[in-house]
Amino acid sequence: MRSLLLALVPLLTLASVPVHAAVEIFACEPEWAALADEIGGDKVSTFSATTAFQDAHFIQARPSLLARVRRADLVFCTGANLEIGWLPVLLRQAANAAVAPGSNGFLDASQSVRLLDVPTSADRAEGDIHPNGNPHFQLDPRNLPHIAATLTERLQRLDSGNAAYYDERLAAFNARWTKALANWSTKAENLAGMQVIVHHSAWVYLEDWLGIREVGQMEPKPGLPPTASHLAGLLDVVQTSDVKAFLRASYQNPKAASWLMDRTDIPDIVIPHTVGATDEASDLYAWFDDIINRLLEVNR
Amino acid sequence: MRARKFVAILACSGLSLWSAQVAVAQQDDSASAAELRAELEQLKLDYEQRLARLEARLAAMESAPAAPAPATGGSALSDKAFNPAISLILDGKYGHFSNAEGLRDLPGFQLGGESGSFNNGLILGESELNLQANVDDKFFAAATIAFESDGDESGAAVEEAYLQTLALPDGFAIKAGRFYSGIGYLNGIHSHGTGFADDPLPYRAFFNGRLADTGIQASWTAPTLLYAQFGVEALSGNSFPAAGAANSGVGTRTAFAKFGGDFNVSNSWLASLSYVDSNVSQRSSGGTAEESGIDPLFGGDSSSWIASLVWKWAPYGNPRDRNFRFTAEYLDRQEDGVLDLDGVTGTYSGDQSGYYLEGVYRFHPQWSAGLRYDTLDADNRVFGLGTPTVLDDNRETPKRLSAMVDFWNSEFSILRLQYNHDDSSLNRDRQWVLQYIMSMGAHGGHSF
Ligand SMILES: [Zn+2]
């Protein structure tokens, strides 16, 4: 016993905390990592817990993520229960008081936006995963300036020495984003009224922004895998409406969409749900450019 | 709305400040005109830039949706604001065993009370009620009450009731109360969270299922990219294997080190090394051996090592549709001390080991299948008792092969069928087990 404790001593001393200049940001999803880079510039170093090919509802609380949360100065996540299956475990086990919920080091983006699809009651028979409202709000670009403002304020509290720098970056982002928003709106004018069937209810904010009409979902209930009988029902929906495309995210299984595609003439398209989900969506701006381009392509 | 007003006020005060500065500058005749002009130009430039930024901010806000309302009850972390997260887990089993009435002792091992596994028929397994919450910004607390019914007897027991610190600096954390020890891999996982309907033989033999005891744990997580956690525990020793040792209230001491990381985006690992040291006094078997009268009382020292390895594969890091989990743990125990069988005393020196290998493959979002091999080996020396006891290993090596398949209607309801080819006791057994696990209430999230 004693020898074991003695063996631990060099390990304990070896790992003396390194002084890192940059604010270390643990972003739960790639879009928040991209936004953090946009505002933080070279004063921050960002890490994304999920890739664009992972389903952020269902990843595992891996040891590598624990190690990252342990080092983080700021944990920046979607919230609204999107990460409920793994983030609370990470926060509790990583022993990092600086990023505890309620502290300056924990930023829940859902607190800065208005959530859609907030249910009046929570019943797991209605599917499991959106009990507090739909958490996929990153897909309305009008939400990003609000979140960017909150992020800036947090960065300024954590790193007050660079407060002016963050202000400048925020102003530059807002100026460029405002122009981009205007461009996207003009470009996407014809998308209003377009009808789509989606895999998971991940697109309500995009639909709300562009006026797209969702006439069906491949998941029978949010979070439950598509079933044959439910998909057959969607074929009837296709008959009675003018569906232009089946939408899914890069991490979603293409099987259900292929099944539908084989029985209709309607294309199945991957819409980037975050930065990096397609080759074209290389940064925040290119991401929404690509979303609109892909929708325009099928909306003929 | 408030933000917009704030920006407007800021812009106005900026403007008035600027004009005030200009006015002051114009009145000052004594200063050099050129200097003043330069200063003025600089000021102008500064404020123009500032104004431009504010305008951009204002424009961005105007194009965004009206004042964002905070999410109604929306929080990343709690299922219900402020209330403890409550979950109820029903774990039921139906067993059909070829050796229905036979003894299930493991030759060479003195077992704890709960490890006698189960019998033919339908039984309520360890159904449990779990409550947990952040007490405040400094403490997290959790309690698990297990409900068990075994034949005519049924009752509730406190499985866990502990607090954990949230705000200690530099990666330190303290846990206190009754909890599952941090040793090994399986030891931290409640029985309903494992891949099989029963515990592997080494955990059954060495820790009566799990090492759970009252005490205190201190741990430290390193600020390294390689996950590294170190912990020590001082436990009362009221639980197996110490069995009520009176060692100034600290009958069991443990230490553990855990490391983990990713090989790549699809493959992750966790490895640990743990040590358990117990002072044992008056330990008897809780198993069927008690009735057969060949169960001596053991007093002395018991120390165990555990080496654990977990490897998980999930394509691109998405475990939902397909994943594979491989677990291997090797346990080694040394016991030395004195035996007492109805007043006759003897000496006992035990060298025991065991391991299990387990693979579970999720091949469909709703189906998975698994295979497990577990075995034990005891090399015990008993002198002076003159009669055979449960500690006689008889040169037997208990072993078992298990296969299971389970169906997940959702992650909250699981049905499992398991077959054990069980040669762990002297009476070979062929066991079929049907299990259900129903989880209601809060979704706790799972450790790796
Ligand atoms: Zn969702």
Side-chain angles (χ1 to χ4, degrees):
Chain A
M1 183 69 189
R2 183 171 296 160
S3 60
L4 191 79
L5 284 176
L6 285 174
L8 286 179
V9 171
L11 279 166
L12 287 163
T13 46
L14 182 115
S16 56
V17 189
V19 183
H20 38 76
V23 178
E24 289 213 26
I25 301 180
F26 176 98
C28 282
E29 288 84 24
E31 65 271 17
W32 306 138
L35 187 62
D37 279 332
E38 199 72 30
I39 304 300
D42 56 13
K43 307 290 182 223
V44 302
S45 84
T46 56
F47 167 80
S48 176
T50 54
T51 71
F53 300 94
Q54 287 174 351
D55 183 347
H57 299 98
F58 297 111
I59 67 158
Q60 287 172 302
R62 302 193 310 277
S64 60
L65 298 181
L66 275 175
R68 289 285 184 171
V69 172
R70 164 69 177 89
R71 294 162 58 92
D73 300 306
L74 177 67
V75 167
F76 179 14
C77 295
T78 295
N81 273 28
L82 178 66
E83 301 100 347
I84 192 78
W86 49 280
L87 184 60
V89 178
L90 292 181
L91 290 171
R92 196 163 61 242
Q93 293 184 354
N96 182 357
V99 297
S103 71
N104 282 335
F106 182 76
L107 174 51
D108 172 349
S110 72
Q111 301 291 316
S112 301
V113 301
R114 193 185 55 222
L115 294 182
L116 300 177
D117 291 352
V118 178
T120 46
S121 69
D123 184 346
R124 287 230 169 98
E126 291 306 312
D128 148 52
I129 53 182
H130 297 157
N132 288 344
N134 193 304
H136 305 287
F137 51 79
Q138 84 280 12
L139 282 157
D140 184 342
R142 295 171 298 180
N143 282 331
L144 266 69
H146 295 303
I147 298 160
T150 313
L151 172 66
T152 305
E153 191 195 316
R154 285 307 174 83
L155 286 173
Q156 288 171 332
R157 272 191 243 168
L158 294 169
D159 180 22
S160 52
N162 289 310
Y165 175 84
Y166 297 126
D167 253 338
E168 243 162 70
R169 303 268 316 181
L170 175 68
F173 168 75
N174 278 334
R176 199 175 157 202
W177 198 253
T178 307
K179 275 202 200 101
L181 271 174
N183 281 341
W184 291 325
S185 298
T186 321
K187 215 172 144 189
E189 247 164 26
N190 291 337
L191 293 177
M194 175 186 182
Q195 296 183 9
V196 296
I197 286 177
V198 302
H199 186 109
H200 170 68
S201 64
W203 310 99
V204 290
Y205 294 89
L206 183 71
E207 293 154 7
D208 185 55
W209 174 46
L210 298 175
I212 293 174
R213 271 188 56 207
E214 179 183 307
V215 295
Q217 295 176 4
M218 294 175 223
E219 289 181 344
K221 277 155 189 172
L224 298 184
T227 59
S229 62
H230 181 73
L231 291 180
L234 287 181
L235 288 179
D236 296 338
V237 175
V238 169
Q239 293 294 320
T240 57
S241 50
D242 179 27
V243 176
K244 296 288 191 191
F246 302 119
L247 305 193
R248 74 185 157 85
S250 49
Y251 63 81
Q252 278 154 350
N253 194 322
K255 263 192 217 154
S258 316
W259 190 92
L260 286 170
M261 217 168 55
D262 289 348
R263 286 157 182 81
T264 60
D265 299 331
I266 300 164
D268 151 46
I269 57 167
V270 168
I271 296 293
H273 68 291
T274 184
V275 174
T278 58
D279 289 343
E280 293 81 4
S282 54
D283 64 23
L284 287 172
Y285 299 93
W287 169 32
F288 283 99
D289 282 341
D290 192 38
I291 289 177
I292 289 172
N293 288 340
R294 282 167 183 259
L295 288 170
L296 285 173
E297 202 167 302
V298 292
N299 188 44
R300 291 175 206 268
Chain B
M1 211 57 213
R2 181 176 292 173
R4 195 178 301 179
K5 205 178 266 171
F6 176 67
V7 171
I9 290 169
L10 218 66
C12 290
S13 50
L15 269 176
S16 50
L17 204 66
W18 176 33
S19 43
Q21 294 265 3
V22 172
V24 170
Q26 276 169 345
Q27 276 170 11
D28 197 342
D29 292 326
S30 62
S32 140
E35 214 173 88
L36 261 177
R37 190 158 298 129
E39 218 170 279
L40 185 63
E41 286 305 311
Q42 189 53 46
L43 264 171
K44 235 169 134 176
L45 206 67
D46 277 0
Y47 280 104
E48 269 165 11
Q49 280 174 354
R50 243 182 185 167
L51 266 175
R53 290 215 304 263
L54 287 169
E55 273 167 6
R57 221 159 148 176
L58 191 65
M61 281 174 175
E62 271 169 350
S63 56
T72 48
S75 156
L77 298 166
S78 60
D79 281 350
K80 274 262 164 67
F82 302 121
N83 293 329
I86 300 172
S87 65
L88 178 66
I89 290 145
L90 302 184
D91 178 350
K93 290 171 193 145
Y94 176 84
H96 183 81
F97 298 171
S98 68
N99 172 26
E101 304 299 324
L103 303 177
R104 272 189 206 96
D105 296 321
L106 303 171
F109 292 88
Q110 217 179 14
L111 300 174
E114 284 179 27
S115 67
S117 73
F118 41 89
N119 285 310
N120 272 352
L122 186 67
I123 62 152
L124 181 67
E126 284 200 342
S127 295
E128 57 178 54
L129 180 67
N130 191 299
L131 293 97
Q132 57 176 56
N134 288 339
V135 178
D136 54 25
D137 59 328
K138 302 270 191 295
F139 297 102
F140 165 84
T144 303
I145 315 295
F147 302 92
E148 274 177 279
S149 86
D150 189 6
D152 299 336
E153 290 173 45
S154 64
V158 178
E159 201 150 287
E160 288 195 284
Y162 66 87
L163 65 88
Q164 186 189 316
T165 60
L166 294 172
L168 291 188
D170 300 323
F172 287 95
I174 302 280
K175 213 182 214 187
R178 182 181 166 84
F179 52 87
Y180 281 21
S181 164
I183 58 161
Y185 174 69
L186 197 75
N187 203 76
I189 302 174
H190 286 222
S191 59
H192 60 84
T194 64
F196 289 80
D198 44 24
D199 293 324
L201 294 173
Y203 271 88
R204 200 181 138 200
F206 286 39
F207 300 116
N208 193 22
R210 299 287 186 280
L211 176 58
D213 202 346
T214 305
I216 187 158
Q217 176 194 79
S219 66
W220 179 71
T221 307
T224 47
L225 284 180
L226 171 81
Y227 173 68
Q229 191 204 31
F230 307 91
V232 289
E233 292 166 336
L235 307 171
S236 76
N238 279 317
S239 299
F240 196 85
N247 186 31
S248 42
V250 187
T252 297
R253 297 153 300 276
T254 78
F256 54 86
K258 301 183 177 187
F259 304 91
D262 294 337
F263 294 119
N264 53 40
V265 73
S266 303
N267 293 280
S268 312
W269 61 278
L270 179 68
S272 68
L273 195 62
S274 313
Y275 180 73
V276 183
D277 186 45
S278 289
N279 301 84
V280 185
S281 87
Q282 307 277 305
R283 188 180 82 195
S284 63
S285 282
T288 40
E290 217 169 34
E291 293 147 30
S292 53
I294 47 168
D295 189 29
L297 293 173
F298 165 57
D301 186 67
S302 170
S303 53
S304 311
W305 283 94
I306 310 171
S308 315
L309 182 70
V310 184
W311 162 53
K312 290 189 184 185
W313 170 82
Y316 301 102
N318 287 312
R320 200 167 176 234
D321 288 355
R322 278 188 307 150
N323 69 64
F324 178 72
R325 182 179 80 230
F326 173 77
T327 314
E329 291 197 79
Y330 177 81
L331 290 79
D332 187 274
R333 180 165 75 177
Q334 190 73 48
E335 296 199 316
D336 290 288
V338 184
L339 296 177
D340 181 332
L341 184 63
D342 300 327
V344 182
T345 56
T347 59
Y348 156 57
S349 165
D351 186 357
Q352 302 155 348
S353 66
Y355 67 89
Y356 74 94
L357 305 171
E358 174 182 312
V360 177
Y361 181 46
R362 164 79 60 105
F363 54 93
H364 179 276
Q366 295 187 294
W367 290 92
S368 55
L371 214 54
R372 180 184 67 192
Y373 176 73
D374 45 355
T375 184
L376 290 167
D377 184 47
D379 183 7
N380 297 337
R381 274 159 247 271
V382 177
F383 298 106
L385 286 186
T387 42
T389 70
V390 288
L391 289 165
D392 291 337
D393 50 72
N394 297 319
R395 307 275 105 228
E396 294 280 341
T397 50
K399 55 183 175 291
R400 182 170 65 164
L401 186 66
S402 310
M404 75 86 194
V405 57
D406 56 23
F407 170 74
W408 298 48
N409 180 52
S410 70
E411 68 178 305
F412 306 102
S413 60
I414 304 171
L415 299 174
R416 176 178 293 145
L417 180 67
Q418 182 175 327
Y419 172 71
N420 292 336
H421 196 84
D422 186 356
D423 293 324
S424 64
S425 64
L426 294 172
N427 306 294
R428 64 200 335 239
D429 203 356
R430 302 295 170 256
Q431 308 172 335
W432 287 94
V433 184
L434 195 61
Q435 183 187 23
Y436 66 80
I437 302 166
M438 301 285 138
S439 311
M440 286 157 280
H443 182 298
H446 306 285
S447 300
F448 183 76

